[in-house]
Amino acid sequence: MQTLKAAILIVSDTASQDASTDKTTSILEDVFRSAPECQWTITDRAIVPDNVPAIRASIERWTDGEDIVNLIVTSGGTGFGTKDVTPEAVAYLLHKQAPGLIHAMFTAGLAVTPFAAMARLVAGVRRKSILMTLPGSPKGAVENLQAVLKLLPHACQQVAGANSRELHAGGVERLEQEAGITSHATACEEAGHHANRPHTHSNDHSTAAHPEEQPARRHRKSPYPMISFDDALKLVIEQAPPPTGYARVPVTDVPLGSVLAKDVRAREDVPAFRASIVDGYAIRVSDQRPFATGVYPVASVSNAEPGSVPPLKEGEVARVTTGAPLPEGATAVVMVEDTMLRETSPDGLEELKVEILTDRVKPGENVREIASDTRKGELVLAREARITAADVGLLTSVGAKWVDIYHQPTAAVLSTGNELVEDEVLRGASGYDYYRELQLGEVRDCNRPGLLAALKSFGFEADDLGILKDSSRDLKKMLQDSIPEYDVIITTGGASMGELDLMKPTLERELGATLHFGRIAMAPGKPTTFATMEGTSKYSRKTGKTAFFCLPGNPASAMVGLHTLVLPYLHQASGMTPPGHPRVLVTLHENVKALQDRPQFHRAVVTAGRDGLLHAKSTGGQRSSRVASLRGANALLWLQPSPKPYPKGTQVEALLIGPLESELGG
């Protein structure tokens, strides 16, 4: 019998200050030791106060470290008191929920006292560990643990990665026999009665169906909890790894939008010499000796070019052009508009004397002093700055030849679906090109080209993985081959509840990926799925992680998912802050209908009006399959559920996904 490791966490302000007051740990250890064949070893014990960070830190040390425990039970902090925060601390850490375990514990507790309903129990999975919250009273903790103790070895084996088919071989009867459990159905059958029993193990309903499951046995309701968009975005950002590597590239070749990995400082003063700001005449003037109007000889000429300029003597002027070095001794420049030509050379080509018409020139006027723009060693661009076209000019001006930029995540886009076809052009017998007409049931794949083009417009290159038919074997192989190559894999199709929707079961069951969410309370894009796989997976040669964004097959859903979830992940992993598109308030140009059951990203065109406000106009029908709803859209209106349309003039929040239109033109 496999030995499983367990850890006990006591949550109590009192016990954290005086461990002798803890009476629960020893009692729970006795319960574990009494398990059949003593499968459990208590490897860790800890006491923390009623404090969310302290609770999470202890649990993460056991779940995320090298020496992972199979089961973590907490005791305390599950009531309704103001300091009772254990359920909130634990629920935040869960990657999967385990409502069946909670139900079993409540059932056992309610059989003893109705007050068992006052415990706020949480159970689920984080990585390869099962987490459970137990009441703070020793009696209640024991009753709850005993209610599920015989089930936990089987659950721990599954979470640890054991083969589910092998574990379930022999059916429920074998599982019950190994666990030492007699089910109600078995008791009825032994008494000569029959009871209805599902043909699949109850635990199957807490995760995706097997990818080869027959249609009649697939889930009729999604096993994935519906989470809010804000929670989904938070998970995406949390899972995005910080940028690790960087490349040194010439300033002139740096891709716009890249993020600096290191500060850049000026290598030299700018300007490196005293220069004229205007076309005119360099003069000598000081506060003690004002300049006088009159006719002056033009002693020299200084143009904006390399070379030397003779010093300027008292009573002389030097003709200078914009950006040209000033001769030594010059302290100001008179604009050419404030002069008149009085004498030229015999050939009429050179100026010999000019008249200065103003005496109001002050020292330093029209002069650009050394380092007045940038001083040598001064910080020019800070780490994590996004490089723009203007920055390329700035970097060049201060003598920077190379910059260090973060590596961008490697990405790929894959379309799935038996109905999808490439848009191919054929050559007819007459020599003219024509498009092959679609057969019944065929759909041109517009998602992949659209997503690739959008990614490129964001500054991210992505590989095209083509179209894959709905085959669990082919999908598994494609993903296995792609994981070592890409940081982010974006798929469209196969994410919903159809019999050929294979993404979730393939990722979760076949590849062992962690599904962070499988449904979002948003439209379009409810079935959007986000999963990650650590680089230490047997399928991957990378040291980081691969993220999977499984977007729905409907075009509007896929594009909205890219804008709202994929782009923030790419930004975060590239070092771009803040991640994602900017959010703004816009004023509705017309009445806009909202959904009643969940929030909606409504495609719209936003225009900067003459009144200084941003005005939003809907792109029309918002059906998730309607590609035309994306045409011209530069914003996604974030509309909360409402039984009535939002009236014209209402201000709502919007994501700006493209350049603004303007009533002023331009």
Side-chain angles (χ1 to χ4, degrees):
M1 182 67 68
Q2 178 185 2
T3 299
L4 300 171
K5 295 185 291 185
I8 300 173
L9 179 65
I10 303 300
V11 182
S12 167
D13 285 342
T14 302
S16 66
Q17 298 176 9
D18 182 5
S20 65
T21 62
D22 169 33
K23 308 300 182 185
T24 306
T25 299
S26 59
I27 296 176
L28 292 179
E29 288 179 350
D30 290 339
V31 174
F32 280 111
R33 281 192 289 268
S34 68
E37 301 186 34
C38 194
Q39 303 175 64
W40 299 97
T41 298
I42 309 301
T43 59
D44 293 279
R45 306 160 186 81
I47 303 176
V48 297
D50 293 287
N51 177 274
V52 170
I55 297 170
R56 290 178 180 171
S58 293
I59 293 175
E60 288 177 325
R61 186 173 69 251
W62 294 329
T63 59
D64 298 6
E66 295 181 358
D67 191 16
I68 297 174
V69 299
N70 302 102
L71 173 68
I72 299 169
V73 294
T74 70
S75 175
T78 61
F80 288 82
T82 57
K83 291 187 176 182
D84 292 331
V85 294
T86 305
E88 288 72 25
V90 174
Y92 177 89
L93 299 174
L94 296 182
H95 296 149
K96 298 178 184 177
Q97 304 288 332
L101 294 179
I102 298 174
H103 180 76
M105 290 190 286
F106 270 131
T107 301
L110 290 171
V112 177
T113 172
F115 278 92
M118 300 298 290
R120 298 185 301 121
L121 304 181
V122 172
V125 176
R126 178 175 177 83
R127 300 190 186 278
K128 296 187 177 181
S129 304
I130 291 180
L131 281 61
M132 293 179 4
T133 64
L134 304 177
S137 72
K139 181 176 180 293
V142 169
E143 290 169 354
N144 279 260
L145 180 59
Q146 288 177 332
V148 296
L149 187 60
K150 293 182 179 181
L151 304 174
L152 292 175
H154 177 70
C156 289
Q157 291 173 32
Q158 282 191 297
V159 171
N163 188 296
S164 294
R165 287 180 176 270
E166 293 178 2
L167 285 177
H168 296 158
V172 177
E173 291 81 4
R174 176 193 163 195
L175 296 175
E176 293 175 346
Q177 182 179 4
E178 290 178 349
I181 299 173
T182 301
S183 70
H184 174 71
T186 302
C188 291
E189 289 168 0
E190 290 174 350
H193 303 285
H194 296 280
N196 293 328
R197 185 167 58 201
H199 296 288
T200 56
H201 191 267
S202 61
N203 191 61
D204 289 345
H205 296 281
S206 65
T207 185
H210 193 277
E212 296 181 0
E213 194 76 85
Q214 294 301 313
R217 297 181 66 183
R218 71 180 187 270
H219 292 320
R220 300 291 163 171
K221 293 184 178 180
S222 174
Y224 297 95
M226 184 92 74
I227 70 172
S228 70
F229 171 78
D230 287 340
D231 287 343
L233 180 59
K234 181 179 179 182
L235 280 168
V236 166
I237 297 300
E238 287 176 348
Q239 289 299 317
T244 52
Y246 63 87
R248 177 160 292 182
V249 298
V251 168
T252 52
D253 293 336
V254 63
L256 297 183
S258 299
V259 180
L260 279 179
K262 295 183 180 180
D263 292 344
V264 178
R265 296 184 177 276
R267 296 180 57 199
E268 55 201 23
D269 291 333
V270 180
F273 52 87
R274 298 175 69 242
S276 175
I277 296 176
V278 297
D279 295 326
Y281 296 87
I283 64 173
R284 294 174 65 113
V285 62
S286 67
D287 292 332
Q288 293 74 29
R289 189 169 183 176
F291 187 79
T293 59
V295 177
Y296 290 85
V298 181
S300 61
V301 177
S302 178
N303 292 318
E305 59 186 15
S308 60
V309 183
L312 186 65
K313 298 178 182 179
E314 191 71 38
E316 297 178 339
V317 297
R319 190 172 78 243
V320 293
T321 58
T322 302
L326 292 185
E328 182 183 345
T331 58
V333 177
V334 178
M335 298 177 64
V336 68
E337 292 88 344
D338 292 326
T339 68
M340 289 186 65
L341 179 61
R342 289 305 185 189
E343 184 179 340
T344 65
S345 61
D347 59 9
L349 298 179
E350 291 295 333
E351 299 176 346
L352 295 182
K353 293 181 180 181
V354 294
E355 182 179 358
I356 306 299
L357 304 176
T358 178
D359 58 1
R360 291 180 292 177
V361 182
K362 304 298 182 184
E365 188 170 333
N366 296 324
V367 175
R368 192 162 58 125
E369 298 292 347
I370 295 174
S372 58
D373 288 352
T374 309
R375 189 167 299 280
K376 182 179 180 180
E378 181 181 335
L379 180 65
V380 177
L381 285 179
R383 183 175 66 90
E384 295 187 352
R386 295 181 66 177
I387 297 177
T388 65
D391 293 332
V392 173
L394 172 62
L395 292 168
T396 305
S397 73
V398 299
K401 303 300 181 185
W402 306 83
V403 289
D404 297 318
I405 59 173
Y406 284 126
H407 288 306
Q408 289 188 341
T410 55
V413 179
L414 170 70
S415 288
T416 68
N418 292 337
E419 75 279 14
L420 299 180
V421 294
E422 294 277 9
D423 192 6
E424 54 183 331
V425 180
L426 305 176
R427 176 59 60 91
S430 61
Y432 293 100
D433 295 338
Y434 69 96
Y435 289 93
R436 182 178 70 81
E437 293 187 3
L438 296 177
Q439 300 179 17
L440 180 64
E442 288 185 334
V443 177
R444 300 193 195 281
D445 178 22
C446 63
N447 282 339
R448 194 166 35 92
L451 295 179
L452 289 168
L455 287 168
K456 189 172 184 179
S457 72
F458 301 151
F460 293 97
E461 295 294 333
D463 288 344
D464 185 350
L465 297 183
I467 298 173
L468 194 68
K469 299 302 181 183
D470 292 316
S471 163
S472 60
R473 180 178 301 177
D474 292 345
L475 179 59
K476 178 181 177 181
K477 185 178 186 309
M478 169 66 81
L479 295 178
Q480 285 178 352
D481 293 343
S482 301
I483 287 169
E485 305 298 328
Y486 300 107
D487 300 301
V488 179
I489 298 175
I490 306 162
T491 68
T492 66
S496 191
M497 295 285 294
E499 62 187 83
L500 295 178
D501 289 329
L502 306 173
M503 292 305 307
K504 290 183 177 77
T506 300
L507 284 171
E508 192 172 21
R509 285 181 173 265
E510 298 297 299
L511 299 181
T514 298
L515 263 69
H516 300 284
F517 55 78
R519 288 196 305 163
I520 309 176
M522 62 181 275
K526 183 172 73 171
T528 299
T529 299
F530 173 59
T532 57
M533 181 179 251
E534 297 300 324
T536 53
S537 161
K538 64 181 179 180
Y539 298 115
S540 178
R541 298 189 298 273
K542 296 191 307 179
T543 57
K545 68 169 66 173
T546 296
F548 302 88
F549 288 92
C550 308
L551 308 178
N554 281 323
S557 302
M559 193 61 75
V560 167
L562 184 76
H563 283 292
T564 58
L565 295 169
V566 180
L567 185 62
Y569 185 97
L570 293 172
H571 280 174
Q572 187 79 0
S574 302
M576 300 181 188
T577 54
H581 290 298
R583 297 189 180 196
V584 296
L585 285 178
V586 299
T587 302
L588 298 182
H589 181 74
E590 58 198 340
N591 294 344
V592 177
K593 184 179 180 181
L595 298 179
Q596 297 187 34
D597 60 339
R598 62 186 188 274
Q600 180 189 35
F601 280 110
H602 191 106
R603 281 77 74 199
V605 179
V606 171
T607 302
R610 294 180 179 273
D611 56 4
L613 299 176
L614 299 179
H615 295 271
K617 188 174 183 180
S618 173
T619 59
Q622 298 291 303
R623 190 171 61 238
S624 60
S625 60
R626 184 172 180 261
V627 186
S629 69
L630 298 166
R631 183 180 179 276
N634 61 1
L636 300 174
L637 309 182
W638 184 226
L639 301 181
Q640 297 304 310
S642 174
K644 298 180 180 179
Y646 281 77
K648 177 182 178 179
T650 303
Q651 281 200 324
V652 299
E653 189 175 300
L655 282 182
L656 281 183
I657 63 175
L660 280 175
E661 302 286 333
S662 174
E663 290 183 352
L664 301 178

